[in-house]
Amino acid sequence: MASRLKPSIDIDLSALAANFRALAAATPGAAPAGVVKCDAYGLGLAPVARTLALKENCAHFFVAYAETGATLRAALADAAPKAEIFIFNGPGEEALAEYHASRLTPVINTLEQAVLWASAFPGAPAALHVDTGMNRLGLIPADIDALLAIKGLNIDLIMSHFACASTPGAAMLAQQHAAFDEIARHFPGARKSLASTGGALISKDYGYDLTRLGVGLYGVGPFGDPHTDIGPVATLSAPVIQRRTVKAGDSVGYDATRRFDAPAQLATLALGYGDGFPRAGSNKAQVFLGGALCPVVGIVSMDLIVVDVTAAPAPVAVGDRAELFGPSLPIETAARACGTIGYELLTSLGARIDRRYLFEGAPADPAMLAPPTRGENE
Ligand SMILES: *Cc1c(COP(=O)(O)O)cnc(C)c1O
């Protein structure tokens, strides 16, 4: 498997489960929900959701779209048939049938969505997202009275989202917290949810009834650096497919952006921007290879990058695998070198990369990765 001369991503589902437990423990009393939008941040919707359900009894999930919610409902059919699946972006007319068929709970963001939902399914539970200052998505507080007047609307969870959850100490955290409490008073019977990963780690007071855990589950510290409560989940590696020695004065890669003052040992890796490795990492990113961090030299190509292994303590040969991020090179560090964040690095990873799922060091049980196919257990 690892010997294939292709990039691969190893996904440690036991580390995912451990991160879920650690983040749940940060806000005692709050139910931890798994945010699995965007194919579980690029790591695979079904394997991630099934691991959380089967190993951690996770019973609440969030995705962005109803069609993803329907896929998730099917993926959890045997593992967590009663799981609550919330749809962040809320309902449009065209998706109402899907909500019904897959028992999805909308997150209402506008008065229009509230009217649509309450008239289609009077009394059916819905979540409400109130915008407390981010000015991105959610009902504006001035519309609360109009919302409360809508007949048949049953809000059983109210949520808001922090603008500055990546910055402990940001003044906006306290402002949004106070605004949330103010609005929540209108919904005394509803559950409350304010925190994503960052909020859950910043204060127990942000836990309320339910936390919405995303990036931390996937091994990325929400504050831009590795976090002690969060272990690495994803390891991106790429094989060396050619070795060469260059002379003083030689250059490497497109546009010859990097020239060598002295002879150097180079290794060419099978991975490029076509796999989602950012071109912005050209001449900036590093990889772990030959027992050390080695710099990317020259421009990142579509399928290839070149690294300088001159200073590596161990010999580097064709077939050896370089780590782009993982236990030896934190994803937060790798992302920063490419001018981005761990969220974007993970969600950009391309379909060409082999995915391998592990649990406690061994290949994960196939039953954790996908539901049994129809007929198999009849
Ligand atoms: C994506 C998202 C989350 C999860 O955020 P993380 O920082 O990944 O934990 C929570 N709430 C909302 C509204 C989101 O859009």
Side-chain angles (χ1 to χ4, degrees):
M1 308 191 284
S3 58
R4 291 182 68 184
L5 292 182
K6 278 188 69 187
S8 68
I9 182 142
D10 285 358
I11 298 157
D12 181 349
L13 295 172
S14 44
L16 169 88
N19 290 337
F20 183 85
R21 285 195 296 279
L23 290 167
T27 55
V35 178
V36 292
K37 62 193 179 188
C38 207
D39 200 29
Y41 290 44
L43 299 185
L45 177 65
V48 163
R50 290 178 64 79
T51 300
L52 295 178
L54 291 167
K55 298 288 176 180
E56 303 301 326
N57 297 314
C58 179
H60 306 87
F61 295 90
F62 286 85
V63 295
Y65 295 102
E67 62 192 59
T68 318
T71 305
L72 178 58
R73 180 61 77 202
L76 290 174
D78 60 320
K82 296 194 172 131
E84 254 184 302
I85 300 177
F86 296 95
I87 312 299
F88 275 136
N89 287 6
E93 180 89 52
E94 77 297 340
L96 287 173
E98 198 144 56
Y99 276 84
H100 184 68
S102 296
R103 294 177 285 121
L104 308 176
T105 306
V107 179
I108 301 292
N109 299 291
T110 63
L111 285 176
E112 292 73 20
Q113 286 183 347
V115 169
L116 178 71
W117 183 256
S119 43
F121 307 114
L128 174 70
H129 183 174
V130 179
D131 194 313
T132 50
M134 189 174 182
N135 290 316
R136 182 183 70 166
L137 184 65
L139 196 82
I140 59 169
D143 283 345
I144 290 287
D145 286 341
L147 181 108
L148 290 169
I150 296 171
K151 291 209 175 43
L153 188 63
N154 172 15
I155 300 297
D156 85 339
L157 181 134
I158 167 167
M159 58 169 268
S160 191
H161 193 53
F162 283 127
C164 301
S166 64
T167 315
M172 264 188 92
L173 290 164
Q175 291 161 12
Q176 288 190 262
H177 183 208
F180 183 64
D181 277 340
E182 184 64 35
I183 283 149
R185 282 195 280 160
H186 295 285
F187 302 88
R191 292 169 292 168
K192 294 167 187 66
S193 173
L194 181 58
S196 57
T197 303
L201 289 172
I202 291 171
S203 171
K204 288 184 175 46
D205 293 345
Y206 299 158
Y208 291 92
D209 300 305
L210 185 136
T211 52
R212 306 186 306 271
L213 306 174
V215 84
L217 300 180
Y218 309 110
V220 180
F223 310 137
D225 286 306
H227 190 284
T228 50
D229 290 358
I230 294 170
V233 170
T235 303
L236 177 63
S237 72
V240 175
I241 59 170
Q242 193 179 9
R243 286 276 286 110
R244 60 162 44 71
T245 305
V246 291
K247 319 183 292 299
D250 282 356
S251 68
V252 61
Y254 282 124
D255 300 332
T257 60
R258 178 62 198 271
R259 219 167 266 287
F260 297 90
D261 302 333
Q265 295 291 324
L266 305 186
T268 302
L269 306 180
L271 179 86
Y273 65 77
D275 301 296
F277 190 79
R279 194 166 177 276
S282 300
N283 287 309
K284 292 203 175 94
Q286 296 186 305
V287 308
F288 190 84
L289 178 62
L293 291 176
C294 301
V296 169
V297 285
I299 298 278
V300 172
S301 312
M302 188 182 294
D303 310 319
L304 301 166
I305 61 178
V306 180
V307 296
D308 184 340
V309 297
T310 312
V316 171
V318 168
D320 289 355
R321 296 191 79 85
E323 181 179 313
L324 285 296
F325 57 75
S328 304
L329 172 51
I331 186 168
E332 300 86 349
T333 309
R336 186 174 301 128
C338 296
T340 183
I341 55 176
Y343 296 79
E344 190 179 37
L345 214 45
L346 286 182
T347 55
S348 301
L349 295 176
R352 198 162 63 168
I353 301 176
D354 287 335
R355 280 183 190 173
R356 299 189 307 159
Y357 291 97
L358 304 169
F359 196 87
E360 288 168 354
D365 180 348
M368 225 150 83
L369 308 183
T373 47
R374 227 164 293 160
E376 203 171 279
N377 54 2
E378 277 165 18

